[in-house]
Amino acid sequence: MNAVIQRVRGWSIRDAGILLVFLALVFGLWLVSPGHHFLSVNNVLLILVQTTINGILAMGMMFVIISGEIDLSVGSTIGLAGVVAAMLAHPGEYPVIVPILAALLVGALVGLLNGIGVAYGAIPSFIVTLGTMTAVRGLALIVSGGAPIFNVSETFEAVASARIGRFPVMAIYLLVIFLVCAFVLRRTVYGRRVYAVGGNPVAAEVSGVNVKRSKVSVFVIAGLLAGFCGVLLASRTISGAPTAGESYELDAIAAVVIGGVSMSGGRGRASGVLIGALMIAVIANGLDILGIDANFQRVVKGAIIVTAVLLDVKARRRK
Amino acid sequence: MRRLLAAVGVMLVAASLVTACTVGDFDGKTRIALVMSHMTNSFTTTVANAAVAEGRELGLEVTVFDGNSDAATQISQIESAVAQAYDGILVEPVSKEGIAPGLKAANEAQIPIATIVQQAEQQERAASYIGGDDTAAGELQMTQVVEAIGEQGAVAVLYGPMGSDGQLQRKAGYDAVLAEHPGVSIVLEQTANWDTAEALTVTENWLSTGTHIDAIVAQNDSMALGAMKALSNAGRDKQVHVSGVDATDDGVASIRDGGMAGTVSQDTAGIGALAVDTMDKLIRGEEVDAVNYTQAVWITIDNVDALDSDG
């Protein structure tokens, strides 16, 4: 019981704030959607599916940002991992686990490279990942020959589109990965180290945390999850497009920021990030349903990002 | 020591870049620079590959430059092609207005330059245009769609990036056809920026509203495939007529499998080959037409096998 109270107290005004904004948005869209269709079971499941890729990507980004860094390369990693997965997923060639593992390996390698560059090369993560973002996108185009890879097996297609009853398996991936990330961050020594490294790297070092190794590990997590997103996107679109995932890193960063993770590191929680990702999907879904054009959606998304950070700054001043 | 190594490394890379650019063969071969907007989808790679192949056939050397979807990059590439005294320049403009300085540079050096796929705003500065007619492609697509749904019904349209030339011209073609068929109306429309994943999401959201749709008209095949996937996820792929433009390999494969109903082929490979033919004539001082349209053809399951494999 005490633990529960503790947890509730742990929620700052700002965490509750973002939840309220989210609920208000959902309520508003429910009110104005034709026939209150927005909250139909089907549409809610659809929103979960549409949140999944950005949500998983944002979980990886969260580790990186909490440790005080940034990863711009995850969108390109999705492209390369998706191409590699699709190339290994033609019908009758390999069991479906092969393309999945290959994509995860690609993602982890990109992450490792980022991590080594940041931790041991002492290059700012913005620069390292800007470099890998460009290079990895180039690799995706080279490997694929500049055109989407299609003709994937039905088993590979099922990775993203399978359903258990009515419940889409995509949403299960999101929920499982969210729960694991939340647990690791809040309840493990490793998670506490990530916060420590982002909050005050010098203090962390002094108290015996291997800062360099921690930094490498967060980039590997981000890369691994981006690799998995590559599989999901290729499976969902039944093709590995070398241009897939372009600017996805920005949506992931947006979800993390809306979710209340501090861009300067050391602060933030997985539940906030999940709400941030849901918020982005809800905006797109809701405005599509209302028939509002996509250019307007960008304006709304931008306004919400800035508002979220504004709330963050205000809440911190109050402390 | 470390710094020295780094500096040497940087210089080596720089040197290799410079030599890669300047060691063209001056063995008397006619050299054509093909400046593409980007090389990231089947359409552009098919055009470029066909151009290079046609060049080999004619004994010309065609070098492809990737403009990276950036008008400024493209201008620099045209300028360096001029500086390296290429015999002719073919350009697929990133944007209509954006390549004006490039056209001017080529004009001043008296090197023939022609546009492909998309005309420039200052098309009079170019010697010729080779490519499809997007308005005609849009008209053909919508005419076929209207006929397929019995001149009566609700259509949803997936657009390319709003305001891009392909989007505007293909839409102009749609509008011309719809003006004559009041029974058919556009009930939903949204951009999916030529992208499969975006089209998939938009179509899912459309289907979620329960709005009745007879046909989804996508402005390219990538988006049509996204729409197709959303429909088949919802078990409605047999009920809605889906079509695209470009006849890309995956689009054609979908038609063959009974997925997409149709696509407009603008003879993608033909554009690349015709462009090199035309430039060859220009270099040899022959007269060419100011506009060379490739033929738009409606591809369905009935004639898909007649299509060239490189279609």
Side-chain angles (χ1 to χ4, degrees):
Chain A
M1 191 59 207
N2 269 342
V4 173
I5 293 171
Q6 201 79 38
R7 291 212 60 185
V8 173
R9 279 207 197 122
W11 275 69
S12 69
I13 306 163
R14 154 111 229 304
D15 288 326
I18 208 67
L19 189 62
L20 285 180
V21 172
F22 176 69
L23 292 177
L25 187 69
V26 168
F27 183 70
L29 285 167
W30 172 75
L31 268 188
V32 295
S33 63
H36 299 322
H37 162 79
F38 179 74
L39 282 185
S40 68
V41 177
N42 274 339
N43 200 51
V44 169
L45 291 178
L46 188 57
I47 290 170
L48 286 178
V49 168
Q50 294 176 352
T51 305
T52 297
I53 290 179
N54 185 38
I56 294 176
L57 209 56
M59 288 298 145
M61 187 67 77
M62 169 181 75
F63 279 91
V64 174
I65 292 181
I66 287 179
S67 70
E69 306 290 345
I70 189 113
D71 188 347
L72 302 178
S73 69
V74 288
S76 297
T77 305
I78 287 185
L80 181 61
V83 164
V84 168
M87 290 175 98
L88 297 170
H90 295 313
E93 286 187 1
Y94 305 102
V96 71
I97 192 74
V98 174
I100 296 176
L101 287 180
L104 292 178
L105 185 68
V106 165
L109 280 177
V110 176
L112 187 66
L113 213 64
N114 284 333
I116 291 173
V118 171
Y120 295 94
I123 315 169
S125 53
F126 186 90
I127 307 295
V128 173
T129 59
L130 186 65
T132 46
M133 169 177 113
T134 314
V136 168
R137 180 66 68 193
L139 280 178
L141 287 159
I142 292 169
V143 170
S144 65
I149 310 290
F150 57 99
N151 188 23
V152 297
S153 69
E154 277 178 24
T155 348
F156 184 74
E157 185 178 347
V159 171
S161 60
R163 279 165 186 273
I164 297 169
R166 275 174 86 180
F167 203 77
V169 68
M170 285 274 274
I172 297 176
Y173 300 143
L174 174 65
L175 294 177
V176 168
I177 289 175
F178 157 69
L179 288 174
V180 171
C181 289
F183 177 81
V184 168
L185 262 188
R186 281 279 144 181
R187 295 267 173 271
T188 65
V189 177
Y190 173 77
R192 244 165 280 150
R193 282 185 185 150
V194 171
Y195 281 107
V197 165
N200 188 342
V202 178
E205 187 83 67
V206 169
S207 54
V209 178
N210 187 330
V211 174
K212 285 183 178 163
R213 217 180 291 165
S214 294
K215 291 220 162 160
V216 173
S217 70
V218 293
F219 280 100
V220 171
I221 291 173
L224 207 57
L225 291 178
F228 185 56
C229 289
V231 172
L232 292 182
L233 192 62
S235 166
R236 191 161 141 77
T237 59
I238 46 174
S239 63
T243 50
E246 217 152 71
S247 79
Y248 277 30
E249 63 277 353
L250 298 182
D251 268 352
I253 294 171
V256 170
V257 169
I258 293 173
V261 176
S262 162
M263 283 302 280
S264 47
R267 250 166 24 88
R269 45 174 71 230
S271 52
V273 174
L274 183 67
I275 293 173
L278 280 169
M279 189 114 95
I280 289 173
V282 158
I283 295 167
N285 173 277
L287 298 189
D288 269 353
I289 284 181
L290 297 177
I292 294 167
D293 88 72
N295 299 341
F296 189 73
Q297 295 186 15
R298 295 189 193 199
V299 177
V300 173
K301 201 157 83 183
I304 287 183
I305 293 170
V306 176
T307 313
V309 178
L310 199 68
L311 279 173
D312 188 34
V313 173
K314 293 256 161 159
R316 250 193 290 179
R317 271 202 205 126
R318 217 171 289 155
K319 272 188 186 172
Chain B
M1 186 59 198
R2 244 194 179 168
R3 259 190 217 167
L4 183 70
L5 275 180
V8 170
V10 168
M11 279 195 293
L12 277 178
V13 172
S16 65
L17 285 178
V18 170
T19 44
C21 295
T22 50
V23 183
D25 6 37
F26 286 95
D27 54 1
K29 234 184 186 181
T30 302
R31 299 189 309 149
I32 296 175
L34 173 59
V35 184
M36 298 296 294
S37 62
H38 61 85
M39 290 290 283
T40 62
N41 65 23
S42 1
F43 179 82
T44 50
T45 31
T46 305
V47 169
N49 291 344
V52 172
E54 182 72 8
R56 210 171 295 132
E57 197 101 321
L58 297 174
L60 312 168
E61 189 185 307
V62 178
T63 312
V64 182
F65 296 86
D66 179 348
N68 227 337
S69 298
D70 179 47
T73 305
Q74 211 165 31
I75 293 167
S76 318
Q77 286 168 338
I78 297 174
E79 285 169 348
S80 43
V82 168
Q84 292 172 59
Y86 272 84
D87 299 292
I89 299 168
L90 291 166
V91 54
E92 186 218 346
V94 168
S95 79
K96 279 172 98 80
E97 295 81 13
I99 58 154
L103 292 173
K104 206 162 157 238
N107 288 166
E108 279 164 6
Q110 297 190 324
I111 294 173
I113 184 165
T115 53
I116 66 171
V117 180
Q118 165 168 282
Q119 304 207 17
E121 192 61 46
Q122 311 77 8
Q123 184 61 30
E124 69 283 354
R125 284 189 171 275
S128 184
Y129 166 77
I130 305 97
D133 177 350
D134 272 326
T135 312
E139 270 185 42
L140 176 61
Q141 184 186 15
M142 192 55 91
T143 306
Q144 294 291 339
V145 171
V146 165
E147 196 177 306
I149 63 173
E151 308 202 350
Q152 196 76 40
V155 171
V157 184
L158 288 165
Y159 294 116
M162 299 309 277
S164 68
D165 298 300
Q167 186 265 326
L168 292 173
Q169 287 168 26
R170 287 172 194 180
K171 182 174 191 307
Y174 299 165
D175 291 345
V177 174
L178 291 176
E180 289 168 20
H181 294 89
V184 179
S185 56
I186 296 180
V187 290
L188 294 162
E189 50 187 338
Q190 186 68 278
T191 180
N193 297 307
W194 306 134
D195 183 68
T196 306
E198 265 189 79
L200 171 57
T201 303
V202 169
T203 309
E204 282 176 342
N205 291 341
W206 281 348
L207 295 176
S208 180
T209 64
T211 310
H212 176 79
I213 307 171
D214 295 299
I216 295 180
V217 178
Q219 288 196 315
N220 79 350
D221 282 355
S222 300
M223 295 190 293
L225 289 165
M228 206 58 234
K229 186 68 173 64
L231 287 166
S232 67
N233 284 351
R236 294 184 53 191
D237 43 330
K238 300 290 174 221
Q239 299 157 20
V240 181
H241 180 281
V242 179
S243 63
V245 178
D246 285 346
T248 58
D249 290 345
D250 39 357
V252 168
S254 169
I255 291 176
R256 196 168 276 135
D257 298 342
M260 279 164 57
T263 184
V264 177
S265 161
Q266 302 203 72
D267 190 7
T268 310
I271 295 173
L274 185 60
V276 171
D277 289 347
T278 310
M279 184 48 71
D280 183 38
K281 286 182 187 157
L282 281 167
I283 292 169
R284 288 192 277 110
E286 292 175 27
E287 283 288 308
V288 301
D289 290 331
V291 171
N292 301 280
Y293 284 137
T294 50
Q295 188 64 41
V297 180
W298 179 245
I299 308 290
T300 65
I301 197 159
D302 300 323
N303 62 352
V304 67
D305 289 322
L307 197 70
D308 283 348
S309 56
D310 59 1

